[in-house]
Amino acid sequence: MAGVHLKKKRCAAGTIGGIYMKKAVSLMMAAAMTMGLAACGSSASTDTAASTADAASTTEAAESTADSAAAADGKVYNVGICQLVQHEALDAATQGFKDALVEALGEGNVKFDEQNASGDSANCATIVNGFVSSNVDLILANATAPLQAAAQATADIPVLGTSVTDYATALDISDWTGTVGGNISGTSDLAPLDQQAAMIQELFPDAKTVGLLYCSAEPNSVYQCDVIEGYLTQEGYTVARYAFTDTNDVTSVAQTAADNSDVIYIPTDNTAASNTEAIANVVLPAKVPVVAGEEGICNGCGVATLSISYYDLGHATGEMAAKILAEGGDISTMPVEYAPNVAKKYNAANCEALGITPPDGYEAIG
């Protein structure tokens, strides 16, 4: 019985060992499965982390783009304005330019550094070089001398001219196509010179001699005199030139012109525009009428003009600036623009003083 009992014990022991073996195998398999699941879990966790990181990166990039766009929208543009001299026409052009930019960009989004060169070309260079050093976003060159200074000072900062009569003359361009190219464009204040010559014929058909009074230091004044002299000669007038070099000899040259002319023509000349009172003090007592290339000069010493609006001209220049600054417009492809409208105007007081009655179609300067 004992043997049987022992056998049973052995059998029991073997059974228990088998159970233990099975449990061990089960545990090993479970461990292997657990490790496999852990590995899978680790991979899934890594993928999730990567996805999360990618999403975060994408979000940050989107936020960065949004921030950049917001910064662009809120950018304050710095614009340097160099005006040759203070007088009615140039003042109006500057104001029109500023108004157009504020209208387009918003009052708080543009700052103007407005400086006047007091008629001195050397001052223009100093002013414009200061703008370049400050790295302004755009330069307005109001008149020829500031444009020439800006062209010398920078090939990178956009430069817009206004109150410039002929860009080819001002910038010494021989093959003029209507576009300056590079970093320069702008607007021209040239009223049709053939129409100005015709106006002289209309107002003074009996005159024999026309004196051209202008500043020889202003290339665009020389250009206008070159062109209109041809038209006046075709009309049968004898034409003579009377050039002053600066403000110091305006009065003496004007007196010589008045002594030898039936009519005087003054182009869009900045030096003349700054000295209209001195010219008026000569021509009005001499009873010699002046036909002017722009309204400001006519208002000071003339009797008639074929006029453009310098405010509108400046405003058109400001619209060009807004396209460059806010819309990424390519200044190198922008053609020079001209005043869309011209008008025949007369100076009522000076006409009355000289006994001149303008024909129909002339508007009194307000």
Side-chain angles (χ1 to χ4, degrees):
M1 297 292 294
V4 172
H5 180 71
L6 290 173
K7 186 176 180 181
K8 287 181 178 178
K9 278 188 176 182
R10 284 196 290 270
C11 289
T15 303
I16 293 170
I19 292 170
Y20 286 149
M21 286 289 291
K22 288 179 180 178
K23 286 185 176 181
V25 170
S26 297
L27 288 171
M28 289 174 66
M29 291 178 67
M33 291 178 66
T34 300
M35 290 176 66
L37 289 171
C40 291
S42 174
S43 176
S45 177
T46 302
D47 290 344
T48 302
S51 299
T52 303
D54 288 345
S57 177
T58 302
T59 301
E60 288 175 2
E63 289 176 351
S64 176
T65 302
D67 289 343
S68 297
D73 291 341
K75 176 177 173 62
V76 176
Y77 296 96
N78 293 298
V79 176
I81 299 176
C82 180
Q83 181 174 317
L84 176 61
V85 68
Q86 184 176 4
H87 65 68
E88 184 177 343
L90 299 190
D91 291 348
T94 293
Q95 190 61 53
F97 174 81
K98 292 165 63 178
D99 287 351
L101 262 186
V102 169
E103 289 166 11
L105 304 180
E107 190 165 357
N109 295 327
V110 58
K111 289 184 178 180
F112 300 104
D113 184 356
E114 185 177 347
Q115 298 190 42
N116 194 294
S118 302
D120 190 331
S121 297
N123 288 344
C124 292
T126 301
I127 292 168
V128 170
N129 284 328
F131 293 156
V132 174
S133 296
S134 299
N135 195 31
V136 297
D137 295 299
L138 183 140
I139 295 171
L140 174 70
N142 192 348
T144 300
L147 179 70
Q148 292 170 328
Q152 290 291 323
T154 179
D156 302 314
I157 297 173
V159 175
L160 288 174
T162 194
S163 313
V164 177
T165 304
D166 183 63
Y167 282 73
T169 300
L171 300 175
D172 195 24
I173 301 172
S174 57
D175 54 343
W176 177 247
T177 61
T179 301
V180 177
N183 65 319
I184 297 175
S185 189
T187 57
S188 168
D189 62 356
L190 180 62
L193 290 164
D194 57 340
Q195 294 182 37
Q196 294 184 55
M199 187 170 64
I200 293 174
Q201 173 66 31
E202 179 182 41
L203 291 169
F204 308 107
D206 298 328
K208 302 298 181 185
T209 59
V210 177
L212 306 181
L213 181 63
Y214 64 100
C215 179
S216 59
E218 297 190 32
N220 282 303
S221 297
V222 177
Y223 166 78
Q224 291 172 83
C225 289
D226 288 344
V227 175
I228 201 168
E229 182 174 357
Y231 291 126
L232 291 170
T233 301
Q234 290 176 12
E235 297 283 355
Y237 292 107
T238 299
V239 181
R241 298 193 183 203
Y242 302 93
F244 44 83
T245 57
D246 55 34
T247 58
N248 295 321
D249 58 346
V250 168
T251 298
S252 61
V253 174
Q255 187 63 62
T256 302
D259 292 341
N260 294 280
S261 308
D262 296 325
V263 180
I264 291 174
Y265 172 77
I266 302 177
T268 55
D269 184 288
N270 291 298
T271 307
S274 300
N275 291 273
T276 56
E277 183 177 357
I279 297 171
N281 288 339
V282 171
V283 298
L284 293 178
K287 302 293 184 181
V288 178
V290 168
V291 174
E294 59 94 4
E295 186 174 324
I297 295 175
C298 185
N299 194 40
C301 62
V303 295
T305 182
L306 188 67
S307 179
I308 68 168
S309 167
Y310 275 82
Y311 178 87
D312 290 347
L313 193 71
H315 199 280
T317 316
E319 291 171 356
M320 295 174 73
K323 290 177 182 177
I324 294 165
L325 295 175
E327 301 175 21
D330 184 358
I331 190 172
S332 69
T333 65
M334 291 182 173
V336 170
E337 297 183 13
Y338 294 81
N341 301 305
V342 294
K344 293 179 177 180
K345 293 191 176 183
Y346 70 97
N347 182 321
N350 288 352
C351 282
E352 183 178 356
L354 298 181
I356 297 170
T357 302
D360 293 340
Y362 282 73
E363 174 189 346
I365 295 174

